[in-house]
Amino acid sequence: MNIDPLLAPSLLSADFLRLADELAFLKSSGADVVHVDVMDGHFVPNITIGIPVVEALKRETQLTLDCHLMISEPLKYAVDFVKAGADWVSIHQEADPHLHRTVYAIKNVGGRAGVALNPSTPIESLSDILGDLDFVLLMSVNPGFGGQSFIENTYNKLRCLDKIRQKNDHSFFIQIDGGVSVANAQALVEAGADCLVAGNAVFKAPNPTEAVKKIKAQMTKVCKS
């Protein structure tokens, strides 16, 4: 991909009592995308936020809203998230036996559609749909909770997916979610990532604004071709 790498701080690590302030901070800090983790307590062992909150977020920011649906039966809700204001919506391969149907439901209402893969799910499971996707989200931790350690095998998976993309001239971008930090941001972009999701590395940093700047500085050291 010939795009500048994007940083998508995850609101999962933000102060939920001050979301409007957190959105203003993301805009002023230079973040590119707002990552919204939607969890249902069924597909993953946690419950977070839903459609009404996404509607409120959309009223408060012009940044791209990236909704990661960690939910069972995503077809029931994916279109409603786009209508609520989500610009990008990702669903899990493991949660949906009808990926093509759900991907095009998202696209048909104007959203950009992605598919997420858990750490143990092979990228080959997407071989028949990669050409239809706007992006692929590789989980670099097991989904459900923030603050987990990065799974090192993600690098191998990322490089493999990037090679498939180049070989087949696909246009999807690659997003990495979980354990992203200043320490690994450059290496992830070098391996093929286009968008990095960072939660605790931004919102739990002593100086969140400086954290955004440092992560982005590492990301942009890489000249991608």
Side-chain angles (χ1 to χ4, degrees):
M1 292 288 289
N2 247 339
I3 65 172
D4 292 330
L6 305 174
L7 178 61
S10 171
L11 291 183
L12 183 63
S13 298
D15 183 345
F16 277 26
L17 192 61
R18 301 175 55 252
L19 285 181
D21 293 337
E22 300 285 43
L23 290 174
F25 147 67
L26 291 179
K27 178 66 174 178
S28 65
S29 69
D32 304 294
V33 176
V34 180
H35 189 79
V36 183
D37 289 303
V38 179
M39 305 182 190
D40 64 356
H42 184 261
F43 178 66
V44 293
N46 196 3
I47 297 174
T48 54
I49 61 178
I51 290 168
V53 176
V54 172
E55 290 175 337
L57 295 172
K58 190 64 175 181
R59 292 195 298 269
E60 288 292 324
T61 187
Q62 294 182 344
L63 291 174
T64 296
L65 283 185
D66 168 30
C67 287
H68 176 194
L69 305 189
M70 288 169 272
I71 63 175
S72 300
E73 299 183 276
L75 181 57
K76 287 185 176 181
Y77 305 100
V79 167
D80 289 334
F81 273 96
V82 178
K83 291 180 177 178
D87 300 291
W88 306 350
V89 174
S90 54
I91 58 175
H92 269 263
Q93 184 271 354
E94 304 86 0
D96 195 338
H98 306 291
L99 284 177
H100 186 274
R101 180 183 297 163
T102 307
V103 162
Y104 275 92
I106 294 167
K107 286 174 171 282
N108 287 340
V109 290
R112 301 189 75 179
V115 173
L117 296 179
N118 283 341
S120 62
T121 303
I123 58 175
E124 289 78 12
S125 64
L126 297 182
S127 60
D128 291 326
I129 198 172
L130 281 176
D132 300 295
L133 301 181
D134 293 306
F135 65 105
V136 176
L137 191 168
L138 297 181
M139 293 300 302
S140 40
V141 300
N142 289 294
F145 298 94
Q148 299 182 66
S149 298
F150 182 86
I151 294 173
E152 292 295 322
N153 187 57
T154 304
Y155 288 112
N156 295 327
K157 203 170 181 180
L158 173 56
R159 293 186 189 100
C160 184
L161 181 59
D162 186 43
K163 287 179 181 177
I164 291 171
R165 174 172 62 176
Q166 294 183 46
K167 179 180 178 181
N168 295 281
D169 198 28
H170 288 313
S171 61
F172 63 83
F173 65 88
I174 302 173
Q175 187 177 61
I176 302 295
D177 184 0
V180 170
S181 67
V182 173
N184 60 20
Q186 180 179 347
L188 287 168
V189 175
E190 287 175 339
D194 307 291
C195 181
L196 302 184
V197 177
N200 281 12
V202 171
F203 288 103
K204 305 302 183 187
N207 186 325
T209 298
E210 284 301 310
V212 169
K213 291 179 180 178
K214 288 178 180 179
I215 295 171
K216 291 199 68 173
Q218 292 300 311
M219 294 166 64
T220 54
K221 283 184 177 180
V222 184
C223 292
K224 299 178 71 176
S225 60

